[in-house]
Amino acid sequence: MSATAEILDSVQSSYKWGFETDIEMDLAPKGLNEDIIRLISARKEEPLWMLEYRLKAFAAWLKMEEPDWARVDHPPIDYQDLHYYAAPKKKAGPKSLDEVDPELLKMYEKLGIPLKERAILAGVEPDPNERPQIAVDAVFDSVSVATTFRETLSKVGVIFCPISEAVRDHPDLVREYLGSVVPVADNYFSALNAAVFTDGSFVYIPKGVRCPMELSTYFRINARNTGQFERTLIIAEAGAHVSYLEGCTAPQRDENQLHAAVVELIAMDDATIKYSTVQNWYPGDADGKGGIYNFVTKRGACRGDRSKISWTQVETGSAITWKYPSCVLIGEDSVGEFYSVAVTTNHQQADTGTKMIHVGKGSSSTIVSKGISAGKSNNTYRGLVRILPSAAGARNHTQCDSLLIGDECGAHTVPYIESRNRTAKVEHEATTSKIAEDQLFYCRQRGLSEEDAVNLIVNGFCKEVLKELPMEFAVEAQKLLAVSLEGSVG
Amino acid sequence: MLDIRGLTASIGDKSILRGIDLVVPDGEVHAIMGPNGSGKSTLGYVLSGREDYTVTGGSVTFNGIDLLSLEPEARAAAGVFLAFQAPIELPGVNNANFLRTALNAIRRAHGESELDAMQFLKVARVETKRLSMPDDMLKRNVNVGFSGGEKKRNEVLQMALLRPKLAILDETDSGLDIDALKIVADGVNALRSPTFSALVITHHQRLLDHLVPNRVHVLAHGRIIRSGGPELARELEKTGYAGVLAEAA
């Protein structure tokens, strides 16, 4: 067995995305006030209605208090000690890859994010062994630095662009839908986001269109003492289909950094939105120093009949995760899904789960949550299933499984179930287990190292969730699980 | 060759093995019999390196290496295989994936190239066929929802694929019907070679009808109290352990 020092070493060096990119930045002065909000709005060349929206949100936020009900613990956040805008100086919003700072391109290459569009030769069948094409919107601190495949997508009417651009170019759509799923004053962090959000992705899939490729956004925090406030809005019109992925990383730093995002999804009749996340923000070191505070509001509205929204998340990073991707199931026979793997090690804290609000007749939801705790970490599943009187015949099935590695970590399950319709069916199953010594021994007797054995068992435990991820991502996620848990047994 | 000398081991405060001396030459199959609680399973666990047991004395040399100094996975790489009396379930872990990971771990340890999924399936299908196992056994999760017989056959499949130099079968015959018993025995017989040896822990003569041992040892109270040829097992079947125990006392 490896020595303790060796294990600690492997844990500390296991965050491979912790490097910093040296690039000249346009940084707003520290602090949060109306002037800063005006500055952000001016930098983004926003119309007046957007500025007013922000100011209204800021006014609401000032009257709100930070929530304290989650099972997480952190020193008070000084909101005046952050930069709310940080962008590479060279060019804001370049139109083509040629205009992107080569330093940035190098960084994305290092992160393995494909920003180069592969030339498509007419009449040539794509090689099945090659990676499938994925359109990427790359958000670096407060700005989107590149969005690929926009032309290919626009041919079928799909809009995929930075949200700051959508505010200028598609104001009618943004005005209609922004804040329609997560209202400005929904919660403390959503209000903060509405006031100061800087960039994120905008996706619009027109009626009957099946998006021809996976869309993805890659978020990178780079600048010191900044917060990242991403805003994403996805609209799928009747009969539209889209699969969207997001990934995120940040440099390894001793101070905590705030990431407060808001994601809104809207699905009309027969539309399907599949939203997958691999969250790998810097988790802090082995002593719990540093790491990202990931305070995120994600919510989808199944407005149309038979519409479907599916959230899949693999959460391995962040010092603290506070996140409940939810579905409001308004349409008849609409479907909400939440598949989650949350891994915590060292001193990480995760309080995550979902809300399924059943409004429409025959709406159904599935929740599968797998929590894995190791080290001194705490991992909480918090979920709400609410059946309104209108939701006749609604169904929910919830399965929450926790796996403990070692004996200094905690797993908690906090389910809330409110049913106000007697024809609804709600099921909840929960298990907590430890990786059993006999399982480890069985694997090792067959020749597997202890780490490989833990990986195999953990991946088996998460299988139901991992199989929901697009193929490419599933492989990445498996590797990430392995890296996250490196050295957690010993 | 397996050479066990004066081996003592305990779990917690309880001493279980109280001085085992046993030599299994290459190419031989030895049966270990004895009443419940005599230390038969413990011997299997101690040889394969289970950490719940503390070795308090003695030595085990296997093909010239000090087996007791190795981690369980290194012992597996050295060729030690334990067929578990109660095979462990691994929820969500596909049997084929598990077997391939194990096989590749062993191959890596021997400096051999790893098998990809297709190559592995080819090899595995030959063995499942030989063991009359349905193909879907490879697709199911490791031992999850397997019947008792299927679990035992899965152990024999693993053994066939990993090609150990020393197989320890811990009551692999218990709970099996005659046909399954024959499959298990055939599985071991197929591996018999001048470089393979086996320790077969069993309560029953009937396995030894199909898997004729070179030697039979009776273990009681943590010691080998009697050794003999295959006829010893037949004698025990008739007289029970009482006679041998009384003789040894």
Side-chain angles (χ1 to χ4, degrees), chain A residues 59-74:
Chain A
W61 180 74
L62 285 174
K63 292 191 204 110
M64 297 171 85
E65 274 180 32
E66 213 176 285
D68 62 356
W69 43 261
R71 199 184 184 97
V72 298
D73 199 25
H74 58 83

PDB file of all heavy atoms in Angstrom, chain A residues 59-74:
ATOM      1  N   ALA A  59     -31.388  45.687  -7.571  1.00  0.00           N
ATOM      2  CA  ALA A  59     -32.207  46.250  -6.486  1.00  0.00           C
ATOM      3  C   ALA A  59     -32.838  45.125  -5.671  1.00  0.00           C
ATOM      4  O   ALA A  59     -32.888  45.172  -4.435  1.00  0.00           O
ATOM      5  CB  ALA A  59     -33.272  47.166  -7.070  1.00  0.00           C
ATOM      6  N   ALA A  60     -33.279  44.087  -6.378  1.00  0.00           N
ATOM      7  CA  ALA A  60     -33.904  42.949  -5.680  1.00  0.00           C
ATOM      8  C   ALA A  60     -32.855  42.232  -4.823  1.00  0.00           C
ATOM      9  O   ALA A  60     -33.115  41.869  -3.668  1.00  0.00           O
ATOM     10  CB  ALA A  60     -34.512  41.988  -6.698  1.00  0.00           C
ATOM     11  N   TRP A  61     -31.683  42.060  -5.397  1.00  0.00           N
ATOM     12  CA  TRP A  61     -30.613  41.328  -4.697  1.00  0.00           C
ATOM     13  C   TRP A  61     -30.223  42.019  -3.402  1.00  0.00           C
ATOM     14  O   TRP A  61     -29.985  41.362  -2.376  1.00  0.00           O
ATOM     15  CB  TRP A  61     -29.393  41.210  -5.619  1.00  0.00           C
ATOM     16  CG  TRP A  61     -28.239  40.468  -5.005  1.00  0.00           C
ATOM     17  CD1 TRP A  61     -28.150  39.132  -4.808  1.00  0.00           C
ATOM     18  CD2 TRP A  61     -27.017  41.041  -4.501  1.00  0.00           C
ATOM     19  NE1 TRP A  61     -26.940  38.822  -4.214  1.00  0.00           N
ATOM     20  CE2 TRP A  61     -26.231  39.966  -4.020  1.00  0.00           C
ATOM     21  CE3 TRP A  61     -26.528  42.343  -4.419  1.00  0.00           C
ATOM     22  CZ2 TRP A  61     -24.963  40.171  -3.450  1.00  0.00           C
ATOM     23  CZ3 TRP A  61     -25.263  42.541  -3.860  1.00  0.00           C
ATOM     24  CH2 TRP A  61     -24.494  41.464  -3.380  1.00  0.00           C
ATOM     25  N   LEU A  62     -30.174  43.352  -3.462  1.00  0.00           N
ATOM     26  CA  LEU A  62     -29.772  44.117  -2.268  1.00  0.00           C
ATOM     27  C   LEU A  62     -30.692  43.823  -1.092  1.00  0.00           C
ATOM     28  O   LEU A  62     -30.283  43.878   0.064  1.00  0.00           O
ATOM     29  CB  LEU A  62     -29.795  45.624  -2.566  1.00  0.00           C
ATOM     30  CG  LEU A  62     -28.631  46.149  -3.424  1.00  0.00           C
ATOM     31  CD1 LEU A  62     -28.847  47.624  -3.762  1.00  0.00           C
ATOM     32  CD2 LEU A  62     -27.291  45.956  -2.710  1.00  0.00           C
ATOM     33  N   LYS A  63     -31.940  43.478  -1.383  1.00  0.00           N
ATOM     34  CA  LYS A  63     -32.916  43.234  -0.307  1.00  0.00           C
ATOM     35  C   LYS A  63     -32.916  41.769   0.131  1.00  0.00           C
ATOM     36  O   LYS A  63     -33.631  41.405   1.058  1.00  0.00           O
ATOM     37  CB  LYS A  63     -34.326  43.612  -0.789  1.00  0.00           C
ATOM     38  CG  LYS A  63     -34.517  45.102  -1.015  1.00  0.00           C
ATOM     39  CD  LYS A  63     -35.991  45.419  -1.230  1.00  0.00           C
ATOM     40  CE  LYS A  63     -36.162  46.711  -2.003  1.00  0.00           C
ATOM     41  NZ  LYS A  63     -36.667  46.511  -3.369  1.00  0.00           N
ATOM     42  N   MET A  64     -32.137  40.937  -0.559  1.00  0.00           N
ATOM     43  CA  MET A  64     -32.196  39.510  -0.250  1.00  0.00           C
ATOM     44  C   MET A  64     -31.048  39.085   0.655  1.00  0.00           C
ATOM     45  O   MET A  64     -30.076  39.810   0.820  1.00  0.00           O
ATOM     46  CB  MET A  64     -32.151  38.693  -1.550  1.00  0.00           C
ATOM     47  CG  MET A  64     -33.341  38.969  -2.448  1.00  0.00           C
ATOM     48  SD  MET A  64     -33.163  38.222  -4.077  1.00  0.00           S
ATOM     49  CE  MET A  64     -33.761  36.580  -3.739  1.00  0.00           C
ATOM     50  N   GLU A  65     -31.207  37.902   1.226  1.00  0.00           N
ATOM     51  CA  GLU A  65     -30.137  37.362   2.054  1.00  0.00           C
ATOM     52  C   GLU A  65     -29.633  36.043   1.492  1.00  0.00           C
ATOM     53  O   GLU A  65     -30.384  35.275   0.902  1.00  0.00           O
ATOM     54  CB  GLU A  65     -30.632  37.155   3.483  1.00  0.00           C
ATOM     55  CG  GLU A  65     -30.481  38.433   4.294  1.00  0.00           C
ATOM     56  CD  GLU A  65     -30.972  38.273   5.714  1.00  0.00           C
ATOM     57  OE1 GLU A  65     -30.859  37.150   6.249  1.00  0.00           O
ATOM     58  OE2 GLU A  65     -31.473  39.266   6.265  1.00  0.00           O
ATOM     59  N   GLU A  66     -28.351  35.788   1.724  1.00  0.00           N
ATOM     60  CA  GLU A  66     -27.747  34.556   1.260  1.00  0.00           C
ATOM     61  C   GLU A  66     -28.471  33.380   1.923  1.00  0.00           C
ATOM     62  O   GLU A  66     -28.691  33.404   3.128  1.00  0.00           O
ATOM     63  CB  GLU A  66     -26.276  34.555   1.681  1.00  0.00           C
ATOM     64  CG  GLU A  66     -25.365  33.859   0.716  1.00  0.00           C
ATOM     65  CD  GLU A  66     -23.917  33.975   1.140  1.00  0.00           C
ATOM     66  OE1 GLU A  66     -23.319  35.066   0.989  1.00  0.00           O
ATOM     67  OE2 GLU A  66     -23.407  32.973   1.638  1.00  0.00           O
ATOM     68  N   PRO A  67     -28.831  32.350   1.160  1.00  0.00           N
ATOM     69  CA  PRO A  67     -29.540  31.222   1.784  1.00  0.00           C
ATOM     70  C   PRO A  67     -28.612  30.455   2.731  1.00  0.00           C
ATOM     71  O   PRO A  67     -27.414  30.375   2.485  1.00  0.00           O
ATOM     72  CB  PRO A  67     -29.937  30.351   0.594  1.00  0.00           C
ATOM     73  CG  PRO A  67     -28.997  30.726  -0.499  1.00  0.00           C
ATOM     74  CD  PRO A  67     -28.611  32.159  -0.271  1.00  0.00           C
ATOM     75  N   ASP A  68     -29.189  29.907   3.793  1.00  0.00           N
ATOM     76  CA  ASP A  68     -28.328  29.181   4.740  1.00  0.00           C
ATOM     77  C   ASP A  68     -28.850  27.775   5.032  1.00  0.00           C
ATOM     78  O   ASP A  68     -28.395  27.105   5.934  1.00  0.00           O
ATOM     79  CB  ASP A  68     -28.190  29.974   6.041  1.00  0.00           C
ATOM     80  CG  ASP A  68     -29.532  30.163   6.728  1.00  0.00           C
ATOM     81  OD1 ASP A  68     -30.562  29.745   6.145  1.00  0.00           O
ATOM     82  OD2 ASP A  68     -29.572  30.721   7.835  1.00  0.00           O
ATOM     83  N   TRP A  69     -29.802  27.326   4.206  1.00  0.00           N
ATOM     84  CA  TRP A  69     -30.410  26.027   4.494  1.00  0.00           C
ATOM     85  C   TRP A  69     -29.606  24.851   3.958  1.00  0.00           C
ATOM     86  O   TRP A  69     -29.824  23.718   4.343  1.00  0.00           O
ATOM     87  CB  TRP A  69     -31.834  25.968   3.938  1.00  0.00           C
ATOM     88  CG  TRP A  69     -31.984  26.547   2.568  1.00  0.00           C
ATOM     89  CD1 TRP A  69     -32.445  27.804   2.263  1.00  0.00           C
ATOM     90  CD2 TRP A  69     -31.664  25.932   1.314  1.00  0.00           C
ATOM     91  NE1 TRP A  69     -32.423  28.006   0.902  1.00  0.00           N
ATOM     92  CE2 TRP A  69     -31.950  26.867   0.294  1.00  0.00           C
ATOM     93  CE3 TRP A  69     -31.167  24.674   0.948  1.00  0.00           C
ATOM     94  CZ2 TRP A  69     -31.754  26.598  -1.062  1.00  0.00           C
ATOM     95  CZ3 TRP A  69     -30.965  24.397  -0.394  1.00  0.00           C
ATOM     96  CH2 TRP A  69     -31.260  25.352  -1.383  1.00  0.00           C
ATOM     97  N   ALA A  70     -28.665  25.111   3.067  1.00  0.00           N
ATOM     98  CA  ALA A  70     -27.909  23.994   2.502  1.00  0.00           C
ATOM     99  C   ALA A  70     -26.907  23.477   3.519  1.00  0.00           C
ATOM    100  O   ALA A  70     -26.475  24.211   4.412  1.00  0.00           O
ATOM    101  CB  ALA A  70     -27.194  24.414   1.227  1.00  0.00           C
ATOM    102  N   ARG A  71     -26.541  22.186   3.373  1.00  0.00           N
ATOM    103  CA  ARG A  71     -25.600  21.586   4.297  1.00  0.00           C
ATOM    104  C   ARG A  71     -24.171  21.889   3.829  1.00  0.00           C
ATOM    105  O   ARG A  71     -23.404  21.005   3.494  1.00  0.00           O
ATOM    106  CB  ARG A  71     -25.834  20.074   4.333  1.00  0.00           C
ATOM    107  CG  ARG A  71     -25.261  19.424   5.553  1.00  0.00           C
ATOM    108  CD  ARG A  71     -25.431  17.921   5.477  1.00  0.00           C
ATOM    109  NE  ARG A  71     -24.945  17.364   6.712  1.00  0.00           N
ATOM    110  CZ  ARG A  71     -25.707  17.045   7.748  1.00  0.00           C
ATOM    111  NH1 ARG A  71     -26.996  17.201   7.669  1.00  0.00           N
ATOM    112  NH2 ARG A  71     -25.165  16.562   8.840  1.00  0.00           N
ATOM    113  N   VAL A  72     -23.865  23.178   3.746  1.00  0.00           N
ATOM    114  CA  VAL A  72     -22.519  23.598   3.370  1.00  0.00           C
ATOM    115  C   VAL A  72     -22.074  24.702   4.311  1.00  0.00           C
ATOM    116  O   VAL A  72     -22.890  25.369   4.930  1.00  0.00           O
ATOM    117  CB  VAL A  72     -22.436  24.106   1.905  1.00  0.00           C
ATOM    118  CG1 VAL A  72     -22.796  23.015   0.924  1.00  0.00           C
ATOM    119  CG2 VAL A  72     -23.312  25.321   1.695  1.00  0.00           C
ATOM    120  N   ASP A  73     -20.793  24.868   4.400  1.00  0.00           N
ATOM    121  CA  ASP A  73     -20.236  25.767   5.373  1.00  0.00           C
ATOM    122  C   ASP A  73     -19.086  26.532   4.727  1.00  0.00           C
ATOM    123  O   ASP A  73     -18.210  25.933   4.131  1.00  0.00           O
ATOM    124  CB  ASP A  73     -19.698  24.877   6.507  1.00  0.00           C
ATOM    125  CG  ASP A  73     -19.503  25.685   7.767  1.00  0.00           C
ATOM    126  OD1 ASP A  73     -20.186  26.708   7.911  1.00  0.00           O
ATOM    127  OD2 ASP A  73     -18.646  25.275   8.581  1.00  0.00           O
ATOM    128  N   HIS A  74     -19.134  27.864   4.790  1.00  0.00           N
ATOM    129  CA  HIS A  74     -18.007  28.637   4.253  1.00  0.00           C
ATOM    130  C   HIS A  74     -17.954  29.984   4.942  1.00  0.00           C
ATOM    131  O   HIS A  74     -18.978  30.475   5.437  1.00  0.00           O
ATOM    132  CB  HIS A  74     -18.134  28.806   2.734  1.00  0.00           C
ATOM    133  CG  HIS A  74     -19.404  29.486   2.293  1.00  0.00           C
ATOM    134  ND1 HIS A  74     -19.565  30.845   2.284  1.00  0.00           N
ATOM    135  CD2 HIS A  74     -20.591  28.970   1.873  1.00  0.00           C
ATOM    136  CE1 HIS A  74     -20.792  31.147   1.859  1.00  0.00           C
ATOM    137  NE2 HIS A  74     -21.424  30.022   1.612  1.00  0.00           N
TER     138      HIS A  74
END
